[in-house]
Amino acid sequence: MGLHLLVLAGGSGTRLWPLSRAGTPKHLLPLAPGGQSLLRATLDRVAGIGDDVHVVTAAAQAPRCSAELQAAGLAPDAIIAEPEARGSGPALGLATAVLARRDPGALVVSVHADARVRDAEAYRQAVRESAAWAGRRGGIATVGLVPTYASTGMG
């Protein structure tokens, strides 16, 4: 039973328009400290937590996401590409089905590629603790950021 991290990196590039577009959605923009993309910052943050890291993205964004995986020192072919964008739930369903075929006892952690995290070590610790909790109980644990206001745009 391996621990697999799924980085959700989808989106149509409309939330930060005109900066983001279909070809350069928010997670591929250099908005992280040091001018990194949000995806790259997320990959750096979660690398080493589990057995592997996969990026779940739209097929059209797969080449750019693969380049970010490679730049982070991770397997560039660790892409799970959606044939059509259908939202976070279906993307997770597809990705967990793919992983379940490879590792029937997989423990899966999903994180979003477009979050800005100020304390990376506290975040990593929260992910580790949540994964351990879910693994012991055979359940689901969620790690998130504390919202500053209600929003229907967050799925």
Side-chain angles (χ1 to χ4, degrees), residues 14-85:
T14 59
R15 189 156 299 176
L16 289 179
W17 186 90
L19 284 177
S20 64
R21 309 279 178 133
T24 51
K26 181 170 60 168
H27 59 274
L28 292 173
L29 292 174
L31 300 175
Q36 289 183 316
S37 71
L38 292 173
L39 173 58
R40 172 64 192 277
T42 301
L43 293 171
D44 288 347
R45 193 168 39 252
V46 301
I49 292 178
D51 296 303
D52 58 24
V53 177
H54 296 272
V55 174
V56 185
T57 191
Q61 296 174 18
R64 296 263 327 264
C65 291
S66 180
E68 293 291 307
L69 276 162
Q70 188 169 14
L74 299 167
D77 61 344
I79 298 285
I80 299 173
E82 299 176 88
E84 260 185 72

Side-chain angles (χ1 to χ4, degrees), residues 45-124:
R45 193 168 39 252
V46 301
I49 292 178
D51 296 303
D52 58 24
V53 177
H54 296 272
V55 174
V56 185
T57 191
Q61 296 174 18
R64 296 263 327 264
C65 291
S66 180
E68 293 291 307
L69 276 162
Q70 188 169 14
L74 299 167
D77 61 344
I79 298 285
I80 299 173
E82 299 176 88
E84 260 185 72
R86 292 290 185 226
S88 298
L92 277 173
L94 170 66
T96 55
V98 167
L99 290 178
R101 273 187 268 133
R102 295 179 191 165
D103 180 1
L107 181 59
V108 176
V109 171
S110 72
V111 299
H112 290 273
D114 59 0
R116 183 164 179 198
V117 175
R118 296 192 193 282
D119 188 342
E121 189 47 46
Y123 179 86
R124 283 191 286 273

